[in-house]
Amino acid sequence: MTTHQTTRRAVLATTAAASAGALTTSLTHTAAAETVDGRPRVDHFQHGVASGDPLPHAVLIWTRVTPTATATPGSGQGPAVTVRWKVARDERMRHVVKSGNVRTSASRDHTVKVDVGGLEPATTYYYRFFLGGQRSRRGRLRTAPTTHATVGDLRLGLVSCANLQAGWFSAYRGIADRDDLDAVLHLGDYLYEYGPGEYGMGPDDIDVRPHDPPHEMVSLSDYRRRHAQYKTDPDLQRAHARHTWITTWDDHEVANDTWKHGAENHTPGPRQDGGEGSFLRRRARAHRAYDEWMPARLNETAKLGDGDRLYRSFRFGDLASISMLDLRTYRDKQAAYPVADGTVSDPSRSITGDAQMAWLKGQLTTGDHAPQWKIIGNPVMIAPVTFADLPNALVDPVNDVTGLIPADGAPYNVDQWDGYTADRREVLTHLRDHQVKDALFVTGDIHSGWACELPLDTSTYPAVGDSFGVEFVCSSVTSNNLKDITGQPQLTPVVETAILANNRHIKYLDFDSHGFSVLDVTAERAQCDWFVIGTRAEKDTDITWSVSYATTAGTQKVQQVDAPVPAKRTDR
């Protein structure tokens, strides 16, 4: 998403660079702080474990090993090693059902990604990795039910927009502390590309934890090191070890406001002339590091380097499907700012690309055996938003959070589906014409919480016209929201009131919180609970329930409910 309008290539503050250097030194020291018989004792499993992309009979498991003290992420150094892995039915790892060996080396940054097959559906397992007499922490995974299984309940954690420089990952702590999730959906911006001093906490860009490397990531080594730094966070490690994740990327996994041939935060041209080289090469490096470091199947395989198609789907019996979108790799360039013509409605422009659009429509209409709920993992907001009555003094702060708005007001955020209205109309018309019920978009990106209905024409809704789906938007883990940027929380109600008054299909908006959400789906309804953290600057800040909204099956409408779903479950 569009962030605040800073000079992206500003020289880093000396103190920030020094802090980042100190952090890198500390991480290196940790890797070889002790000695055994005069030799460095290396912690082989510094970056935790993870599982992802659950199928009925297979789940990915992941780790990264540090075989020697010099084999740090992005270094290109270190020997090839063989890592053992085991999957068991019990927490004590006594009843092993699958095991094997996998070879890794510096060519893949010593990451390990195994597609474990032959598992039972809808079953919880435990897994662990082994190298050189050491074992990793134990992870827990869960397979999906079979396609035609009767499923009574599906419960998902929702997270997005985790900027390490902007605060502690307390939202991940909240996810890790829960024992009732079938999976976690990460909806994009898993990490951020900026260097220290460029996009930190609040209006002064305070770096709670400065990024490593201490500059904007551009090279393959940069992207690998940044992924590695994020996966040293203890709360993120716990959340990955506790739950199976389903992820997609947004823009910051590459660079801000990415589109298929460029990005706002990319300067083309030779390095010697102040450029950052070829954007397509930069994106390829970012995608390669993502493939190495994330528990996701690109091109539907665990094999590295066989493609970078991330849009894919998952089935949870007769209850729900989850279609994860990639809304960066195939999109046309964002419309010019300010919007002064019909560019945003040009049918030749796309946010999905033709192939992904055809795939998505197919996922929404899968014949007689379609699941009841069609959940779409949607990196940027699809509900229309107009800011016509927003005071001009608040336009810039809202731009920092939500996107690009002309100073005199306009109905478009051109980095979202608002900037590609032909594609949005195609999706909603498809839902209408095929009488698809219970389409549910879950979204990240804009650092705020929303609950929306999705009509084709917002100007007459709800007096005329129907809603053809609903959208729940989760707030950011740490990335700046409106009050963080303005420093004046008393202004937020002005913005929220203006938006709600001009958008009758939007039923809930919270511009000022950080945290995570829990989506609970049954045959009767889908409910989203928003949980918020206290302050990002405090590692042990409180986590509290904020609000809940639900959509009753078949209605395509949302309404507030009085309490979150109970954390205890009796269905398994």
Side-chain angles (χ1 to χ4, degrees):
M1 66 166 291
T2 301
T3 56
H4 60 320
Q5 302 303 308
T6 59
T7 302
R8 309 288 186 186
R9 309 298 183 267
V11 178
L12 302 181
T14 302
T15 53
S19 298
L23 176 63
T24 304
T25 302
S26 174
L27 292 174
T28 304
H29 177 73
T30 301
E34 303 176 12
T35 60
V36 177
D37 297 330
R39 295 173 298 173
R41 184 187 187 281
V42 178
D43 177 3
H44 294 321
F45 297 99
Q46 299 172 39
H47 301 93
V49 300
S51 66
D53 282 12
L55 301 175
H57 300 289
V59 175
L60 288 178
I61 59 175
W62 176 96
T63 194
R64 197 269 177 183
V65 297
T66 305
T68 64
T70 59
T72 56
S75 67
Q77 299 184 40
V81 292
T82 299
V83 180
R84 292 188 298 119
W85 58 270
K86 293 181 180 179
V87 175
R89 287 188 176 273
D90 62 309
E91 292 187 69
R92 301 181 72 178
M93 304 291 294
R94 290 183 173 179
H95 302 290
V96 175
V97 296
K98 295 290 177 181
S99 62
N101 299 319
V102 61
R103 195 77 168 162
T104 188
S105 67
S107 66
R108 55 183 297 151
D109 210 23
H110 287 101
T111 58
V112 174
K113 189 155 68 172
V114 181
D115 205 342
V116 182
L119 303 177
E120 294 296 318
T123 302
T124 298
Y125 293 92
Y126 301 86
Y127 63 97
R128 183 168 262 156
F129 298 89
F130 306 84
L131 176 65
Q134 295 182 26
R135 62 184 186 180
S136 72
R137 74 186 303 160
R138 184 184 63 240
R140 186 180 73 163
L141 65 83
R142 186 165 178 82
T143 54
T146 57
T147 299
H148 302 301
T150 299
V151 176
D153 180 65
L154 174 66
R155 192 168 296 176
L156 305 168
L158 307 178
V159 286
S160 73
C161 303
N163 179 8
L164 186 139
Q165 293 194 147
W168 296 97
F169 289 163
S170 301
Y172 289 148
R173 169 164 52 88
I175 289 285
D177 286 345
R178 297 189 69 109
D179 193 38
D180 60 336
L181 303 179
D182 294 291
V184 172
L185 301 192
H186 200 295
L187 297 164
D189 294 341
Y190 182 92
L191 77 174
Y192 280 70
E193 81 272 25
Y194 302 110
E198 292 185 317
Y199 188 43
M201 183 179 69
D204 297 325
D205 286 330
I206 297 170
D207 291 338
V208 176
R209 300 180 286 175
H211 271 149
D212 177 74
H215 54 258
E216 184 179 318
M217 55 182 184
V218 176
S219 70
L220 177 59
S221 176
D222 293 341
Y223 285 101
R224 285 169 163 175
R225 286 174 61 178
R226 190 67 54 83
H227 273 279
Q229 183 189 23
Y230 275 59
K231 281 196 169 67
T232 59
D233 178 86
D235 292 323
L236 180 54
Q237 284 197 4
R238 286 185 59 235
H240 271 304
R242 189 70 169 170
H243 304 293
T244 297
W245 286 41
I246 301 172
T247 70
T248 190
W249 52 47
D250 191 26
D251 52 345
H252 290 291
E253 287 87 352
V254 180
N256 184 56
D257 283 0
T258 294
W259 58 287
K260 64 183 177 182
H261 292 145
E264 178 276 333
N265 195 19
H266 177 81
T267 303
R271 295 290 183 91
Q272 61 269 24
D273 296 334
E276 293 171 318
S278 162
F279 170 76
L280 294 182
R281 290 179 182 176
R282 179 180 182 176
R283 188 181 70 186
R285 298 176 197 127
H287 286 183
R288 176 175 173 179
Y290 191 97
D291 198 2
E292 293 169 344
W293 280 86
M294 296 296 290
R297 296 184 184 90
L298 274 65
N299 267 43
E300 299 186 351
T301 79
K303 182 181 178 181
L304 300 185
D306 62 342
D308 61 357
R309 179 167 62 82
L310 192 57
Y311 65 86
R312 63 210 190 284
S313 64
F314 302 89
R315 182 75 179 260
F316 289 82
D318 62 354
L319 184 63
S321 63
I322 301 175
S323 302
M324 300 297 285
L325 301 182
D326 171 3
L327 298 182
R328 294 292 170 181
T329 307
Y330 315 102
R331 71 156 67 192
D332 290 294
K333 189 175 182 179
Q334 294 87 344
Y337 169 78
V339 179
D341 55 35
T343 302
V344 295
S345 301
D346 184 347
S348 70
R349 297 176 63 258
S350 178
I351 192 172
T352 63
D354 291 344
Q356 186 176 198
M357 175 61 79
W359 171 85
L360 174 59
K361 292 194 294 186
Q363 294 298 310
L364 295 171
T365 49
T366 52
D368 295 337
H369 299 293
Q372 178 185 348
W373 294 93
K374 276 67 68 175
I375 301 171
I376 302 96
N378 180 46
V380 298
M381 192 168 174
I382 192 169
V385 184
T386 180
F387 297 86
D389 288 345
L390 189 63
N392 286 343
L394 292 176
V395 166
D396 286 344
V398 173
N399 274 338
D400 290 338
V401 177
T402 63
L404 303 173
I405 310 167
D408 57 354
Y412 303 118
N413 174 343
V414 297
D415 191 53
Q416 299 178 175
W417 290 76
D418 271 339
Y420 305 83
T421 61
D423 271 7
R424 178 170 61 204
R425 178 166 290 276
E426 184 171 353
V427 171
L428 296 182
T429 300
H430 181 81
L431 294 173
R432 181 197 65 189
D433 292 350
H434 290 80
Q435 300 181 353
V436 177
K437 302 296 183 182
D438 300 332
L440 171 55
F441 291 79
V442 289
T443 305
D445 179 62
I446 53 175
H447 311 174
S448 44
W450 306 63
C452 309
E453 295 164 2
L454 299 176
L456 267 167
D457 186 351
T458 61
S459 65
T460 58
Y461 186 80
V464 179
D466 296 322
S467 172
F468 299 102
V470 300
E471 180 172 32
F472 295 135
V473 182
C474 66
S475 56
S476 68
V477 172
T478 60
S479 298
N480 288 334
N481 56 32
L482 188 58
K483 80 175 188 308
D484 300 327
I485 296 164
T486 65
Q488 301 180 65
Q490 69 274 15
L491 295 179
T492 298
V494 177
V495 179
E496 294 174 346
T497 299
I499 293 173
L500 292 171
N502 283 274
N503 298 271
R504 291 181 293 274
H505 59 291
I506 298 174
K507 305 304 180 180
Y508 164 68
L509 171 55
D510 176 5
F511 258 132
D512 278 359
S513 298
H514 302 282
F516 66 96
S517 296
V518 172
L519 178 69
D520 187 75
V521 180
T522 68
E524 292 74 32
R525 59 95 183 101
Q527 177 171 324
C528 189
D529 303 327
W530 281 263
F531 294 86
V532 302
I533 67 171
T535 173
R536 296 170 292 165
E538 295 179 6
K539 190 173 183 180
D540 299 321
T541 192
D542 291 340
I543 302 172
T544 58
W545 169 70
S546 174
V547 71
S548 296
Y549 276 77
T551 176
T552 302
T555 67
Q556 287 66 248
K557 302 288 183 67
V558 299
Q559 63 280 327
Q560 188 172 359
V561 294
D562 295 333
V565 295
K568 298 291 184 180
R569 294 179 65 173
T570 59
D571 62 324
R572 59 176 183 173

